[in-house]
Each structure stands twice: as C-alpha cells, then as structure tokens.
Amino acid sequence: MTILAQGLINHDVSKKSRLTNRSFWLHILLIVFTAALLRAGLAIPALSDTELLMRPDSSGYWNPALALANGDGWVSAPGMISPEVVRTIGYPLVLAAVVLLAGKSLFYAALSGIILSASAVIPVALAVRKVFGAKAALLAGWLWALNITAIAVSPLILADSLLGVLAAWQFLLCVYFVQDKKLWYIAGAALLAIVGAFVKPVNLPVVIIGLPVIALAGYESRRKLIWSWLIIAVMVGALLVPYWVRNYRLCGDFDGNSANIYFHNGSAVMAKVTGESSEIWRQKLLDKAAAEFAADPEKYASLTAQNQWKKAQFVQMVKTYPAAAVITHLPNIFNLLPDVPSLLENNRITSSGRGTMAVLRQSGVWAAAQHYLNGRWYLLAGLLPLLIIYAGTLLLALVRLLIWLKNWQWRYLLLFGVLVFYYIWAPGPVISPRYLLPALPMIIFMAVGRKNNKAEKQK
C-alpha cells in the first residue's frame, strides 16, 4: 500500500503541465474546500431542519446504525433482536461511527456526507492526471465539485453518496491498472468494489462480473490475467462470501431488499402493459403481497418464504409480458437527469410525493418538470449555471465515447461498460438521478479528455 500511495501522490506531472506537484495539491485542496462549502451552503435549510435530510429509505440505514452504536449488534433497530438483512452493513457502519464520535444528531451524519462527497475530488482528479495531465485533472476536480447531483445528494441520509465516493477511488485504481498493469491496482480496485457492495448491493455485479472484465482491460500477459482473476476470487471468497452466506440463511438472498424488485420493477412492467400509473400498480402489488402473506401466516412466517414468493411472482410476470419487461428494463436515459428535485427539497422549495415519476414515465421530461414545479420554472434560474455545467459534462463525455469507438480504444471501452453503462442500466425502470453517482467519476474523466492523447492509446 505504501508503494501505491507513493505512486499516486508523487506521480510526475512536469511533462504534462507547468504546474508543480505542490501547486497541483494546493489547487486540489482549494477545490475540495469549495466543494464542501458549496454542498453545505446549498443544504442550509436541511441542516437546520434535519427532517429534510430523510427520504423514504433513510430510516432503513439510520435505525440499524443507532443499534450498532448502541452495542446491540447488526439488528434492525435499537433494542431489537431480529438480525438486519434488508440493508447491507456498509453505510450504517459509517453512520454508527459518526454517532459514536459526534452523537445522534442527523446534522453530523449529513456533515460527514458533505465532507465525503467533497473529498471525491481527489480520486477523480488523480485518475485524470494519470492520463490527461494536471490541468485537465484540476478541471475534472471542478466538474465534480460543481456537479449538481453530487451536491444535492451529499447531505442526505442515503448510501448513494458514499457509494459514489468509493466508486471514484475504485475508478482511479482501475485507470492505474489499465495504464501500468500492476496487480496491486486491481487488488485495490477489487477491495473497493467489495466495500461498495457492502454499501449498496448494486455493486455486487461489478465485483462478480465487472472486475474480471476490468482485468481483461489491463491485459498484458495470460499469466498476469490469471493472477488478476485469482486475486479477485480470493478477495471475494474471503470478504464477501461469508456475509452472503449469513444473509442467504436469513432471507434467501444477498440482502432482504432485492426481492422487492417485484414492487419496484414489476409496477413499471404492469404500467407499460396497462397504461395505468406505475404508482397505482406499485400499491396494487403491495396490497396483493400483504393479502397473500396474511392468508397463510404460517407458510410465510419467514422472510425467506416471502422473498421466494415475490421473486416467483416477478419471474411469472416477465414470462407473461416479456416484451413489456424487456422494454422497461432497457437503459433508462431518465437516470441521466440532474437531481434538481433533491436540491430543491433540501432547501424546502418543493416537496416530493406528488406522482411526478408516473408523469415522467407516461408523458416525458417536460411534462414531469411542469408537474413537479407546478409551472414555477423560475425556480431553476438560480441553478442554471450548474445545469449548464452538468449538460456540458454529459455532452463532452459522449464525444469522448464516440472517439473511443472510432479509434477502437477497447481497454477504455471495457471500463466504460463496467463503470458507466452498467450503473446507467442497473436501476432498470426505477428512475432516480442519484443512481448515476457511481458512474460520474468516469463520465467526468471522459469529458475532460484531450484529443489524440498518447497515454490514452493502449494497444
């Protein structure tokens, strides 16, 4: 790890930029400080009224965290004895550490999220510096600092911001592995990907499928490729499998929440079939499940039995309506939208729960925005600079992708497939801009890339 740290910190930038190493790091510290200040400043109402920090999923992280801090172990809430399986342990563990250090105030939990989000400037910039030089790296740092989705999500009691930070470090090590072909980089990336899976299960396919693909992206010899795969397999077996086995015994899955795809994704499938609102269908499916479990409480006494029923129902739904299932699970461009709603809600300007997602699916972006803003488009005026930066970032990243395809930069195309395309595709029909956070480090990397860069061209 010492060699890795020295390699990242002392990387020679003199050939790619006039900036000295000291000047580069002073700039980075300035960007981190500005990012933290901006995130805090745009969340002042939420930091004052901490209920604004909570979203429907938040208590599922906060209550287990309080139990951990209270010494009750990994259970669903303080004083409970039932093991927690709905959420993975990563984010509650961080929250528990904050509680032990600073107390049970949501304010400090939000502040930790703001600091973590701002710190992601460092790995994003270092990844860019490795390939495109120091000046491009500083631009990348500013793009992360000014990213509207990262700003909006940072104070919320949700795991997404932490996963985004881990994904930034994960991406950094993947870039170093592709460039230098050193095994400790793929080992570090594997460790971070596994930690990411403990934060949100969406990272599990990155570990199981994505990491072996990334090992191919750094291909140098058959021997080194086999070593890369072996390192990944050993780390998965040692770190991830024991937790997986524990949860499988308790709920029949990696986590107790995955089977709820029946409600989240199933409602979108049925909305596509019938033309009704996905929110109406979600409630119908919830009611159907509740009635089924109540009719035979002995049969469905365990979470495993309930999850098996939900997964079986979803599989049957897909078999019955295969076309609708495929269409609704194509990569959803709506997940590329900036998280303006969270930023407005953090400032008590708008509120959720008005059926906007249903309008978005049925009538598109403009109708959904009109519905959500209730015609008050002027609310976006102050956010226009951030929105322009966000749109520019996506557009420039698209240009870089086309360049990679034209020049067949297969190593970076493999990275793109795992670290961008997958995160866009993974939510399926569940629309939430914050799900894009793990993909943003590489999107920013692509946006600031220089034309005909020699370091980028790997055979």
Side-chain angles (χ1 to χ4, degrees):
M1 291 302 292
T2 302
I3 296 174
L4 173 60
Q6 289 176 346
L8 296 181
I9 294 173
N10 297 325
H11 176 67
D12 181 16
V13 299
S14 60
K15 295 180 181 179
K16 297 181 180 179
S17 173
R18 295 178 183 177
L19 284 172
T20 64
N21 202 49
R22 181 175 181 275
S23 178
F24 173 81
W25 281 103
L26 287 175
H27 277 81
I28 289 295
L29 290 176
L30 173 63
I31 300 171
V32 171
F33 177 77
T34 304
L37 198 62
L38 186 61
R39 281 153 174 73
L42 290 176
I44 289 175
L47 294 173
S48 303
D49 178 6
T50 52
E51 284 303 311
L52 294 173
L53 300 169
M54 302 294 280
R55 296 296 187 268
D57 293 343
S58 296
S59 60
Y61 298 111
W62 184 244
N63 290 334
L66 293 177
L68 284 170
N70 198 45
D72 295 330
W74 184 226
V75 294
S76 55
M80 301 292 288
I81 60 172
S82 56
E84 171 61 28
V85 292
V86 174
R87 299 295 176 188
T88 43
I89 196 170
Y91 184 51
L93 202 59
V94 172
L95 290 176
V98 173
V99 169
L100 289 173
L101 289 171
K104 297 180 181 180
S105 171
L106 290 172
F107 171 84
Y108 294 109
L111 196 60
S112 69
I114 287 170
I115 294 170
L116 280 171
S117 177
S119 73
V121 165
I122 297 171
V124 171
L126 289 177
V128 171
R129 184 175 72 162
K130 178 67 175 175
V131 180
F132 299 120
K135 289 184 178 180
L138 296 179
L139 175 57
W142 281 115
L143 289 182
W144 178 271
L146 298 173
N147 184 274
I148 191 169
T149 299
I151 292 168
V153 179
S154 63
L156 300 180
I157 310 302
L158 292 170
D160 302 273
S161 194
L162 176 59
L163 180 60
V165 175
L166 289 169
W169 287 101
Q170 171 185 286
F171 172 63
L172 167 65
L173 293 179
C174 289
V175 168
Y176 267 70
F177 177 67
V178 169
Q179 292 294 131
D180 295 343
K181 316 296 189 297
K182 303 297 184 182
L183 288 176
W184 55 72
Y185 292 135
I186 192 66
L191 176 61
L192 288 165
I194 290 169
V195 173
F198 281 120
V199 172
K200 289 198 73 174
V202 70
N203 233 46
L204 185 61
V206 173
V207 176
I208 304 301
I209 301 172
L211 285 173
V213 171
I214 290 170
L216 281 171
Y219 182 84
E220 187 178 47
S221 66
R222 184 178 300 177
R223 178 175 176 274
K224 188 166 286 187
L225 177 63
I226 292 173
W227 270 108
S228 298
W229 286 345
L230 182 61
I231 289 169
I232 294 166
V234 169
M235 295 182 73
V236 169
L239 301 175
L240 199 59
V241 170
Y243 184 83
W244 199 340
V245 170
R246 176 258 190 193
N247 275 11
Y248 191 84
R249 289 174 177 172
L250 293 170
C251 67
D253 213 329
F254 180 74
D255 69 287
N257 193 44
S258 296
N260 289 331
I261 189 175
Y262 174 55
F263 306 127
H264 304 314
N265 298 40
S267 61
V269 173
M270 295 310 300
K272 183 69 176 178
V273 171
T274 65
E276 292 183 279
S277 165
S278 58
E279 295 188 8
I280 292 174
W281 265 106
R282 175 179 163 80
Q283 191 57 52
K284 286 182 179 181
L285 297 179
L286 286 167
D287 293 342
K288 180 181 178 181
E292 175 73 18
F293 301 155
D296 195 343
E298 185 175 342
K299 179 180 178 180
Y300 297 108
S302 68
L303 184 58
T304 299
Q306 294 177 16
N307 283 346
Q308 287 175 346
W309 181 86
K310 287 184 280 189
K311 286 186 283 188
Q313 290 293 305
F314 183 71
V315 169
Q316 184 58 47
M317 185 186 295
V318 171
K319 289 180 179 178
T320 306
Y321 307 107
V326 170
I327 291 171
T328 54
H329 286 81
L330 292 174
N332 198 326
I333 195 171
F334 292 149
N335 280 321
L336 294 174
L337 293 171
D339 200 352
V340 173
S342 289
L343 192 56
L344 294 176
E345 290 163 25
N346 290 350
N347 287 275
R348 210 184 288 107
I349 296 172
T350 57
S351 60
S352 59
R354 301 181 64 245
T356 304
M357 287 299 105
V359 177
L360 180 61
R361 289 193 179 100
Q362 291 178 323
S363 305
V365 174
W366 298 113
Q370 173 73 12
H371 174 82
Y372 180 77
L373 297 170
N374 200 21
R376 298 175 297 166
W377 288 90
Y378 60 85
L379 294 176
L380 300 181
L383 300 179
L384 196 57
L386 295 179
L387 292 173
I388 291 172
I389 290 170
Y390 184 84
T393 301
L394 293 184
L395 182 60
L396 290 171
L398 176 60
V399 171
R400 175 60 47 179
L401 176 61
L402 295 176
I403 292 171
W404 284 347
L405 288 169
K406 179 183 176 181
N407 298 328
W408 195 240
Q409 299 297 314
W410 64 271
R411 296 180 188 272
Y412 281 96
L413 287 171
L414 287 178
L415 282 189
F416 174 84
V418 175
L419 301 178
V420 177
F421 180 81
Y422 165 71
Y423 287 119
I424 295 172
W425 171 80
V430 181
I431 302 168
S432 181
R434 70 176 187 266
Y435 293 158
L436 188 66
L437 279 172
L440 284 178
M442 186 165 188
I443 289 174
I444 291 172
F445 173 90
M446 295 168 69
V448 301
R450 296 203 309 263
K451 188 177 180 181
N452 298 325
N453 183 70
K454 292 182 180 179
E456 186 186 17
K457 293 183 177 180
Q458 296 267 330
K459 293 184 178 181

